[in-house]
Amino acid sequence: MTRTLPLAASAAALLVFGFAPLALSPYWLSLLTIIFFYVCVGQAWNLMMGYTGILSLGNSLFLGLGGYVTAVLASRYGVVPWIGLPLGALVGAAMGVVIAWLGFRFSVRGVYFALLTIAFAEFFRLLFDNWDYVGGAGGVFLPSLGPDESILLHLRGSGLLFYYAFLVLAAAVTAISALLVNGRHGFFWRAIREDEEAARALGVRARSMKILVVAISGAMTAVAGGLFGLMNGSLFPDSMLGMGMSIEIIIAPIIGGLGTLVGPIVGAFFVVPVTEIANDVGQHVGIFGLNTFVYGVMVFLVIVFLPEGIWPRLRRLATRRQRPDETDGGSDA
Amino acid sequence: MDLYLQVLAGGVLNGVVYALIAIGLTIIFGVMRLVNFAHGEMVVIGMYIGYWCFELIGISPLAAMPVAALALFALGYVLQLTVVNAFISRPHHVQFILFISFALVITGLHMMLFGPTPRGIFSMASFETFDIGPLRLDMTRVQAAAGAIVLMALLFVFLRFTTTGQAIRAAADSRIGAEVIGIRINRVFAITAGIGMACAGAAGALVAPMFDTHPFLAPEFTLLAFIVVIIGGLGSIPGAIAGGILIGIVEALAAVMINPSMKSMFSYALLVLVLLVRPAGLFGAAGGRR
């Protein structure tokens, strides 16, 4: 597969989603906004897990830090998000460097690294729960904008604004990921994923490459968290930094297909609507908990019947039909 | 001084129950290299069993413990044979997601069946106390710790002196070796999963009088079991016991000296420290690192 096809498909998708607000109701736009959000955080996590083989179960930490930096700066000091978001990204990246450096410096790997990330995330959740400066368990609330304040400058307000903000962010995160994984870094990361000792022997500076990918993932997730907080208008430690959020971040890329750029996108487009349908049905029939149950069953079915994810299976079906002699398209995009 | 002794003793009693929960997690990891992400959900099932046994038949949580253990053993056995065995050689993240799906299904079922209402057990035992020397301990905790110790002792005897127990230890040492000498590995794995989840369920029944049972308690127990097991060393039963008691003490002291709502923060800080100093845990073998 050449590079023109993915590029053309991306351009077409951007065009369609760019003009979609003309045709869609606010309900569908908000659904798409959430999907784009999960594309951002899923893509960021996929760089770590899918391409480098670093399992993190604490990515909500980056999300929460980005969200809190942006929101606290805005609500306490009136700092506009255009400054708050990059600062949040810096904090997210710095936290990524700290965790990764500590972890890899002391050769904490695999399951142990995953638990280290959980420990960090839970530590900060409890810290924020008890820290009055950031509102404690009561959370941070962003003041509503005055009539003469600019929506674009303060990034607050309408759903349409966040639809475009998350669309642009999802596209940017995907594009940056594509450039990274198809470039030098991507080859190093995949070499580390396949066999770290061998990669090291070939001269790959494995530890710094791993720290780098965690930092990039942290920065991307933090920006998404900053926008997410602005969109909701309020932030709570449990929803931004909790284990539940970490799990929601990883489910879409795993279901869509790890180690591919399309996987997190396909996963988000699958998981979010199914969650939504489960919520609606649960509310409609008035059975509390039905949504969680349906969600669990769906995740179970996918992991049992499509263990490598939806996208790799689709791609294999498509390529088999076109070129029966080739099993893999050979391109990650 | 007396206050601190009191707190310390309470922490140890809690720690013994934590150890039972953690042993369930660690035995599954030690034998099958699986991290049961739905462990807390198993504890909550046990809590509901303890609660309903008390509400409907009026038997104490201590008497409900075997019921919970048997029910969870059956659940673990069946899950392992029907689904989980096929995932043993899969990558970690796939196993994580499988167990997360179990956790979601169980939590969903709990909410559908019992609703979000917290359910507490109110019996006279809640007000009874137990005196040793200058110490005054509440009866429910003493009972829970006693139940946990009995179960752990039984487990020790089972693993040490029965053929099945030996088969489980053989499988933990070397899966291939165990298969070579004719151990039916899938059955051994199913029994191990049953035992692991039975520990969680039994502990759940024991703690039912201490915490109000509700569907969302599960992640707390899962994380608690992780902390204990990582501090002790994944796969190590003595490590789980030492880690459980250590965390019980740390939580109790932090709750008194600093702030009850921040007690878990100190457990996490301790966990991070242990991971950095001894990545395989206090009792973990260097070879156990994965």
Side-chain angles (χ1 to χ4, degrees), chain A residues 62-106:
Chain A
F62 306 131
L63 188 86
L65 286 178
Y68 268 99
V69 168
T70 310
V72 168
L73 283 177
S75 65
R76 283 199 169 235
Y77 308 104
V79 177
V80 293
W82 294 103
I83 298 168
L85 286 170
L87 282 178
L90 267 181
V91 172
M95 181 53 74
V97 170
V98 169
I99 296 177
W101 183 82
L102 279 176
F104 301 138
R105 167 83 184 72
F106 293 94

Coordinates of all heavy atoms in Angstrom, one line a residue, chain A residues 62-106:
Chain A
F62 N -1.8 11.8 33.5 CA -1.5 12.9 32.6 C -2.7 13.7 32.2 O -2.7 14.9 32.1 CB -0.9 12.3 31.3 CG 0.3 11.4 31.5 CD1 0.3 10.1 30.9 CD2 1.3 11.8 32.3 CE1 1.4 9.3 31.2 CE2 2.4 10.9 32.6 CZ 2.4 9.7 32.0
L63 N -3.8 13.0 32.0 CA -5.1 13.7 31.7 C -5.5 14.6 32.8 O -5.8 15.8 32.5 CB -6.2 12.6 31.5 CG -7.5 13.1 31.0 CD1 -7.5 13.2 29.5 CD2 -8.7 12.3 31.5
G64 N -5.4 14.2 34.0 CA -5.8 15.0 35.2 C -4.8 16.2 35.4 O -5.3 17.3 35.6
L65 N -3.5 15.9 35.2 CA -2.6 17.0 35.4 C -2.8 18.1 34.4 O -2.9 19.3 34.7 CB -1.1 16.5 35.3 CG -0.6 15.7 36.5 CD1 0.8 15.2 36.3 CD2 -0.7 16.5 37.8
G66 N -3.0 17.7 33.1 CA -3.2 18.7 32.0 C -4.5 19.4 32.3 O -4.6 20.7 32.2
G67 N -5.5 18.7 32.8 CA -6.8 19.3 33.0 C -6.7 20.3 34.2 O -7.1 21.5 34.1
Y68 N -6.0 19.9 35.3 CA -5.9 20.8 36.5 C -5.1 22.0 36.2 O -5.4 23.1 36.7 CB -5.4 19.9 37.6 CG -6.6 19.3 38.5 CD1 -6.9 18.0 38.3 CD2 -7.3 20.1 39.4 CE1 -8.0 17.5 39.0 CE2 -8.3 19.6 40.1 CZ -8.7 18.3 39.9 OH -9.7 17.8 40.7
V69 N -3.9 21.8 35.5 CA -3.0 22.9 35.3 C -3.8 24.0 34.5 O -3.9 25.2 34.9 CB -1.8 22.5 34.5 CG1 -1.0 23.7 34.0 CG2 -0.9 21.7 35.4
T70 N -4.5 23.5 33.4 CA -5.2 24.5 32.6 C -6.3 25.2 33.4 O -6.5 26.4 33.3 CB -5.8 23.8 31.4 OG1 -4.8 23.0 30.7 CG2 -6.4 24.7 30.4
A71 N -7.1 24.4 34.1 CA -8.3 24.9 34.8 C -7.9 25.8 36.0 O -8.5 26.8 36.2 CB -9.2 23.7 35.2
V72 N -6.9 25.3 36.8 CA -6.5 26.1 37.9 C -5.9 27.5 37.5 O -6.3 28.5 38.1 CB -5.6 25.3 38.8 CG1 -4.9 26.2 39.9 CG2 -6.3 24.2 39.5
L73 N -5.1 27.4 36.5 CA -4.5 28.7 36.0 C -5.6 29.6 35.5 O -5.6 30.8 35.8 CB -3.5 28.4 34.8 CG -2.2 27.9 35.2 CD1 -1.3 27.6 34.0 CD2 -1.4 28.9 36.1
A74 N -6.6 29.0 34.8 CA -7.7 29.9 34.2 C -8.6 30.4 35.4 O -8.9 31.6 35.4 CB -8.5 29.1 33.2
S75 N -9.0 29.6 36.3 CA -9.9 30.0 37.3 C -9.3 30.9 38.4 O -9.9 31.8 38.9 CB -10.7 28.8 37.9 OG -9.8 28.0 38.7
R76 N -8.0 30.6 38.7 CA -7.4 31.4 39.8 C -6.7 32.6 39.4 O -6.7 33.6 40.1 CB -6.4 30.5 40.6 CG -7.1 29.5 41.5 CD -6.1 29.0 42.5 NE -6.8 28.3 43.5 CZ -6.8 28.6 44.8 NH1 -6.0 29.5 45.3 NH2 -7.5 27.8 45.7
Y77 N -6.1 32.5 38.2 CA -5.2 33.6 37.8 C -5.7 34.2 36.5 O -5.0 35.1 35.9 CB -3.8 33.2 37.7 CG -3.3 32.5 39.0 CD1 -3.1 31.1 39.0 CD2 -3.0 33.3 40.1 CE1 -2.7 30.5 40.2 CE2 -2.6 32.6 41.3 CZ -2.5 31.3 41.3 OH -2.1 30.7 42.5
G78 N -6.8 33.7 35.9 CA -7.2 34.2 34.6 C -6.3 34.0 33.5 O -6.3 34.7 32.5
V79 N -5.4 33.0 33.6 CA -4.5 32.7 32.5 C -5.3 32.0 31.4 O -6.0 31.0 31.6 CB -3.4 31.8 33.0 CG1 -2.5 31.4 31.8 CG2 -2.6 32.4 34.1
V80 N -5.2 32.5 30.1 CA -6.0 31.9 29.0 C -5.4 30.5 28.7 O -4.2 30.2 28.9 CB -6.0 32.8 27.8 CG1 -6.7 34.1 28.0 CG2 -4.5 33.0 27.3
P81 N -6.3 29.6 28.2 CA -5.9 28.3 27.9 C -4.8 28.2 26.8 O -4.1 27.2 26.8 CB -7.2 27.6 27.4 CG -8.3 28.4 27.9 CD -7.8 29.8 28.0
W82 N -4.7 29.2 26.0 CA -3.6 29.2 25.0 C -2.3 29.1 25.7 O -1.3 28.7 25.0 CB -3.8 30.4 24.1 CG -5.0 30.3 23.3 CD1 -6.2 31.0 23.5 CD2 -5.3 29.4 22.2 NE1 -7.1 30.7 22.6 CE2 -6.7 29.7 21.8 CE3 -4.6 28.4 21.5 CZ2 -7.3 29.0 20.8 CZ3 -5.2 27.7 20.5 CH2 -6.5 28.0 20.1
I83 N -2.2 29.6 26.9 CA -1.0 29.4 27.7 C -1.1 28.2 28.6 O -0.1 27.5 28.8 CB -0.7 30.7 28.5 CG1 -0.5 31.9 27.6 CG2 0.5 30.5 29.4 CD1 -0.5 33.3 28.3
G84 N -2.3 28.0 29.2 CA -2.5 26.9 30.1 C -2.3 25.6 29.5 O -1.7 24.7 30.1
L85 N -2.8 25.4 28.3 CA -2.7 24.1 27.6 C -1.2 23.7 27.4 O -0.9 22.5 27.7 CB -3.5 24.0 26.3 CG -5.0 24.0 26.5 CD1 -5.7 24.2 25.1 CD2 -5.4 22.6 27.1
P86 N -0.4 24.6 26.8 CA 1.0 24.1 26.6 C 1.7 23.9 27.9 O 2.5 23.0 28.0 CB 1.7 25.3 25.9 CG 0.5 26.1 25.3 CD -0.7 25.8 26.1
L87 N 1.4 24.7 29.0 CA 2.0 24.5 30.3 C 1.5 23.1 30.8 O 2.4 22.3 31.4 CB 1.6 25.6 31.3 CG 2.3 26.9 31.1 CD1 1.8 27.9 32.1 CD2 3.8 26.6 31.3
G88 N 0.3 22.8 30.6 CA -0.2 21.5 31.0 C 0.5 20.4 30.3 O 0.9 19.3 30.9
A89 N 0.8 20.6 29.0 CA 1.5 19.6 28.2 C 2.9 19.4 28.8 O 3.4 18.3 28.9 CB 1.6 20.0 26.8
L90 N 3.5 20.5 29.2 CA 4.9 20.4 29.8 C 4.8 19.6 31.1 O 5.7 18.8 31.3 CB 5.4 21.8 30.1 CG 6.2 22.5 29.0 CD1 6.7 23.9 29.5 CD2 7.4 21.6 28.7
V91 N 3.8 19.9 31.9 CA 3.7 19.2 33.2 C 3.5 17.7 32.9 O 4.1 16.8 33.5 CB 2.6 19.8 34.0 CG1 2.4 18.9 35.3 CG2 3.0 21.2 34.5
G92 N 2.6 17.4 31.9 CA 2.4 16.0 31.6 C 3.6 15.3 31.1 O 3.9 14.2 31.5
A93 N 4.4 16.0 30.3 CA 5.6 15.4 29.8 C 6.6 15.2 30.9 O 7.3 14.2 31.0 CB 6.2 16.3 28.7
A94 N 6.7 16.2 31.8 CA 7.7 16.1 32.9 C 7.3 15.0 33.8 O 8.2 14.2 34.2 CB 7.6 17.4 33.7
M95 N 6.0 14.8 34.1 CA 5.6 13.7 34.9 C 5.9 12.4 34.2 O 6.4 11.4 34.8 CB 4.1 13.8 35.2 CG 3.5 12.7 36.0 SD 4.3 12.4 37.6 CE 3.8 13.9 38.5
G96 N 5.7 12.3 32.9 CA 6.1 11.1 32.1 C 7.6 10.8 32.3 O 8.0 9.7 32.5
V97 N 8.4 11.9 32.2 CA 9.8 11.7 32.3 C 10.2 11.1 33.7 O 10.9 10.2 33.8 CB 10.6 13.0 32.0 CG1 12.1 12.8 32.4 CG2 10.5 13.4 30.6
V98 N 9.5 11.7 34.7 CA 9.8 11.3 36.1 C 9.5 9.8 36.3 O 10.3 9.0 36.7 CB 9.0 12.1 37.1 CG1 9.1 11.5 38.5 CG2 9.6 13.5 37.1
I99 N 8.2 9.4 35.9 CA 7.8 8.0 36.1 C 8.7 7.1 35.3 O 9.2 6.1 35.8 CB 6.3 7.8 35.7 CG1 5.4 8.7 36.6 CG2 5.9 6.4 35.7 CD1 4.0 8.6 36.2
A100 N 8.9 7.4 34.0 CA 9.6 6.5 33.1 C 11.1 6.4 33.6 O 11.7 5.4 33.6 CB 9.6 7.0 31.7
W101 N 11.7 7.6 34.0 CA 13.1 7.6 34.4 C 13.2 6.7 35.6 O 14.1 5.8 35.7 CB 13.6 9.0 34.7 CG 15.1 9.0 35.0 CD1 16.1 8.9 34.1 CD2 15.6 9.0 36.3 NE1 17.3 8.9 34.8 CE2 17.0 8.9 36.2 CE3 15.1 9.0 37.6 CZ2 17.9 8.9 37.3 CZ3 15.9 9.0 38.7 CH2 17.3 8.9 38.5
L102 N 12.4 7.0 36.6 CA 12.4 6.2 37.9 C 12.2 4.7 37.6 O 13.0 3.9 38.0 CB 11.3 6.6 38.8 CG 11.6 7.9 39.7 CD1 10.4 8.2 40.5 CD2 12.8 7.6 40.6
G103 N 11.2 4.4 36.8 CA 10.8 3.0 36.5 C 11.9 2.3 35.8 O 12.4 1.2 36.2
F104 N 12.4 2.9 34.7 CA 13.4 2.2 33.8 C 14.8 2.2 34.4 O 15.6 1.3 34.3 CB 13.4 2.8 32.4 CG 12.0 2.7 31.8 CD1 11.5 3.7 31.0 CD2 11.3 1.5 32.0 CE1 10.2 3.6 30.5 CE2 10.0 1.4 31.4 CZ 9.5 2.5 30.7
R105 N 15.1 3.3 35.2 CA 16.3 3.4 35.9 C 16.5 2.2 36.9 O 17.5 1.6 37.0 CB 16.4 4.7 36.7 CG 17.5 4.8 37.7 CD 18.7 5.3 37.1 NE 19.8 5.3 38.1 CZ 20.4 4.3 38.6 NH1 20.0 3.1 38.3 NH2 21.4 4.4 39.4
F106 N 15.4 1.8 37.5 CA 15.4 0.7 38.4 C 14.9 -0.6 37.8 O 14.4 -1.5 38.5 CB 14.7 1.0 39.7 CG 15.3 2.1 40.5 CD1 14.9 3.5 40.3 CD2 16.3 1.9 41.4 CE1 15.5 4.5 41.0 CE2 16.9 2.9 42.2 CZ 16.5 4.2 41.9

